[in-house]
Amino acid sequence: MLRSTFTLASGNRAITTGQTSLRSYATHQAVAAARNHRVVVIGAGAAGLGLSHQLLRSGKFAPKDIALVDPAQWHHYQPGWTLVGGNLKNKEDLRKPLAGLINPKLQFYNNSVAAFSPEQNTVTLSNGDSLCYEHLVVAPGISINYDAIKGLPEALADVSAPVSTIYGYETCDKVFRTISGLKKGTAIFTQPTGVVKCAGAPQKAMWLALDHWKRAGLYDTSSNSPIKISFATGLPVMFGVPKYSQKLNQLREERNVEGLFQHDLESIDGDKATFFRADTQERVTKRFDLLHVVPKMGPHKFIKESQLADGAGFVDVDDSTLRHNKFPNIWAAGDSAGLPTSKTAAAITAQAPVLVRNLLQSLEGKTLDASYNGYTSCPLLTEYNKVMLAEFGYGGKPMETFGRVFDQSVPRRAFFHLKKDFFPWIYFTAMVKGLWGGPNGFIR
Ligand code: UQ1
């Protein structure tokens, strides 16, 4: 480890500019390489990539002052995977090679993180290298724990099993194959208890499937509809925000979808799904002909087991400044941040500029003056061609961009085109480049 070779804390800036000599010295000494950067960003997803470029565009950094760490080969536009589930997009069109999205002025480490040492201002990578930083931004996303539902990994991998999920690149195109293959029987769509990214997506997959079957003459609201649909959710309601939840429950009733509330999927065995009911503490088994599963999710192990974690295992940052509550040179945004709001790409459009502003202020020894209000959004597909644009902040307070003109709890065609055409386009043309601030428009 580099700590034994160099004294870094005070000589941080000098070593940053003398990076080449540092590296050759490390090689010469045959020790793990020590690399020094003003800012190290963990994760090159929607949050890490966008905010690294925002930092770079501030003009306050020299080439390689900022480092980006991510083991991935591909960068995915994950909000598009629901559209893949509805056969509205091809999954291959929603990804790009990650390296090509990174400005060459950023130092890219194509590795994963092994451990954080916040007291030493270092991060150890899985290849043994250490990175030293003045500021650390943590944005590696959330971990999908497929194993947490017994039988799920096997059922997803089995091409003949009618079990799928929009939550992964490998499986999101299995979703429509199972939907278009179903001609009659029971379809169950699940949502787990606990934190998931994009809490509206579990039912988006269902609403698109319902519309597909309706158009194919396979679904109606009568008791002899060939296909019957159930929404089995660990939650007691359709959605966490009362304004939208009410409307979604009304849709559910009108469309004759069975609501299995407080039903948390525990295991899958052949065509049987077993749920744990939080209200009665009982297990309930249902037979299915199609099962759309939302896996359980949680913080990455390397965060949960670090000093950076809060009680739930996410990064313990201040709700408003996005600065770590214990380590003033650590920040977090995106799904890994322990913020009491819904985890979405839209949330990142609001978080990233706040984090960047506060980090820059902090670097210059100035007061933090930007504040995140919890903004997040869920463009909820309720049928083909219609989206309910739920937008809200901390406390579930609606924060509707077009609220003066529209009641956004009413599903609309204009919002469908935002979701299907505009957001994917602006994401790759502007957001990953640090140019897009969501409802605030372009970043100067
Ligand atoms: C947004 O900017 C964005 O990013 C491209 C999304 O895609 C994931 C969104 O879902 C939303 C809602 C926004 C917010 C922007 C506007 C104009 C409401």
Side-chain angles (χ1 to χ4, degrees):
M1 271 260 306
L2 82 155
R3 292 295 298 165
S4 56
T5 324
F6 301 103
T7 308
L8 288 162
S10 57
N12 221 5
R13 289 291 289 136
I15 292 173
T16 303
T17 43
Q19 210 174 32
T20 318
S21 58
L22 174 71
R23 241 178 244 166
S24 52
Y25 181 62
T27 313
H28 183 69
Q29 294 291 305
V31 295
R35 281 104 196 242
N36 300 271
H37 299 279
R38 298 201 73 191
V39 184
V40 170
V41 179
I42 307 300
L49 202 53
L51 69 82
S52 296
H53 289 123
Q54 287 179 35
L55 284 168
L56 193 60
R57 287 170 41 80
S58 71
K60 305 212 160 136
F61 297 95
K64 312 298 179 189
D65 268 358
I66 305 169
L68 196 47
V69 179
D70 197 310
Q73 297 304 306
W74 294 94
H75 178 101
H76 297 275
Y77 178 68
Q78 293 185 38
W81 289 346
T82 9
L83 300 166
V84 176
N87 202 28
L88 292 166
K89 296 263 183 199
N90 293 318
K91 66 178 188 176
E92 294 82 4
D93 300 336
L94 299 169
R95 67 173 191 173
K96 291 188 194 284
L98 174 55
L101 297 175
I102 298 174
N103 187 305
K105 289 183 180 147
L106 299 171
Q107 175 69 50
F108 177 37
Y109 295 102
N110 204 184
N111 283 296
S112 54
V113 169
F116 295 107
S117 307
E119 271 135 13
Q120 279 78 45
N121 297 320
T122 62
V123 174
T124 309
L125 304 185
S126 53
N127 64 357
D129 283 358
S130 277
L131 306 182
C132 194
Y133 56 80
E134 285 176 48
H135 284 264
L136 176 71
V137 180
V138 185
I142 193 167
S143 160
I144 301 207
N145 305 327
Y146 290 102
D147 292 351
I149 294 170
K150 193 165 167 276
L152 177 60
E154 298 80 2
L156 288 175
D158 179 352
V159 284
S160 66
V163 179
S164 67
T165 182
I166 56 169
Y167 273 85
Y169 181 76
E170 293 307 322
T171 53
C172 62
D173 52 344
K174 190 184 182 191
V175 176
F176 193 73
R177 284 203 297 277
T178 66
I179 289 168
S180 57
L182 188 73
K183 305 298 173 205
K184 66 175 169 49
T186 301
I188 304 178
F189 294 79
T190 76
Q191 173 159 4
T193 51
V195 178
V196 295
K197 51 181 155 189
C198 196
Q203 62 185 292
K204 293 176 196 172
M206 173 178 76
W207 296 130
L208 289 182
L210 184 153
D211 201 11
H212 171 82
W213 291 322
K214 190 172 123 194
R215 288 161 192 245
L218 298 169
Y219 186 81
D220 59 57
T221 55
S222 76
S223 58
N224 44 23
S225 167
I227 293 174
K228 301 267 193 316
I229 304 177
S230 302
F231 186 53
T233 171
L235 307 179
V237 289
M238 289 298 283
F239 196 72
V241 178
K243 171 171 178 173
Y244 307 112
S245 190
Q246 231 163 16
K247 185 74 193 190
L248 291 162
N249 201 45
Q250 191 187 324
L251 282 183
R252 184 187 65 73
E253 285 172 353
E254 282 166 14
R255 293 172 178 179
N256 205 24
V257 168
E258 180 186 32
L260 299 169
F261 294 101
Q262 303 198 51
H263 279 59
D264 191 23
L265 181 63
E266 270 192 347
S267 63
I268 302 166
D269 183 8
D271 63 356
K272 305 233 167 33
T274 300
F275 301 86
F276 181 72
R277 281 189 67 161
D279 49 356
T280 60
Q281 300 282 302
E282 284 168 354
R283 287 192 168 75
V284 183
T285 297
K286 305 262 177 196
R287 211 197 62 80
F288 62 81
D289 298 287
L290 178 146
L291 184 68
H292 180 268
V293 181
V294 177
K296 291 192 173 275
M297 295 168 215
H300 285 291
K301 199 161 169 257
F302 67 89
I303 293 179
K304 193 177 172 176
E305 294 177 352
S306 77
Q307 289 169 273
L308 272 47
D310 63 14
F314 292 100
V315 187
D316 183 19
V317 287
D318 182 80
D319 296 354
S320 163
T321 62
L322 307 180
R323 173 150 86 172
H324 199 276
N325 286 319
K326 288 192 217 75
F327 304 104
N329 62 339
I330 299 184
W331 311 79
D335 296 347
S336 70
L339 298 167
T341 192
S342 187
K343 299 183 184 302
T344 65
I348 291 163
T349 67
Q351 290 165 10
V354 170
L355 188 157
V356 166
R357 168 75 190 177
N358 284 341
L359 191 155
L360 292 174
Q361 288 287 100
S362 175
L363 265 178
E364 293 177 5
K366 296 183 185 157
T367 326
L368 310 190
D369 58 2
S371 159
Y372 174 56
N373 54 20
Y375 174 82
T376 188
S377 169
C378 184
L380 233 147
L381 291 144
T382 53
E383 62 192 90
Y384 282 97
N385 302 321
K386 283 203 182 154
V387 157
M388 173 192 290
L389 188 59
E391 288 181 286
F392 49 96
Y394 286 139
K397 183 174 152 263
M399 291 179 61
E400 301 185 347
T401 306
F402 309 99
R404 282 168 193 251
V405 189
F406 298 125
D407 173 359
Q408 291 186 201
S409 69
V410 178
R412 290 174 200 279
R413 183 180 270 267
F415 297 151
F416 175 78
H417 288 294
L418 272 184
K419 166 78 190 166
K420 180 172 141 312
D421 305 313
F422 180 74
F423 291 147
W425 175 78
I426 200 78
Y427 182 83
F428 280 118
T429 50
M431 187 165 160
V432 294
K433 297 177 182 165
L435 294 164
W436 180 244
N440 293 324
F442 288 96
I443 298 170
R444 275 184 297 119

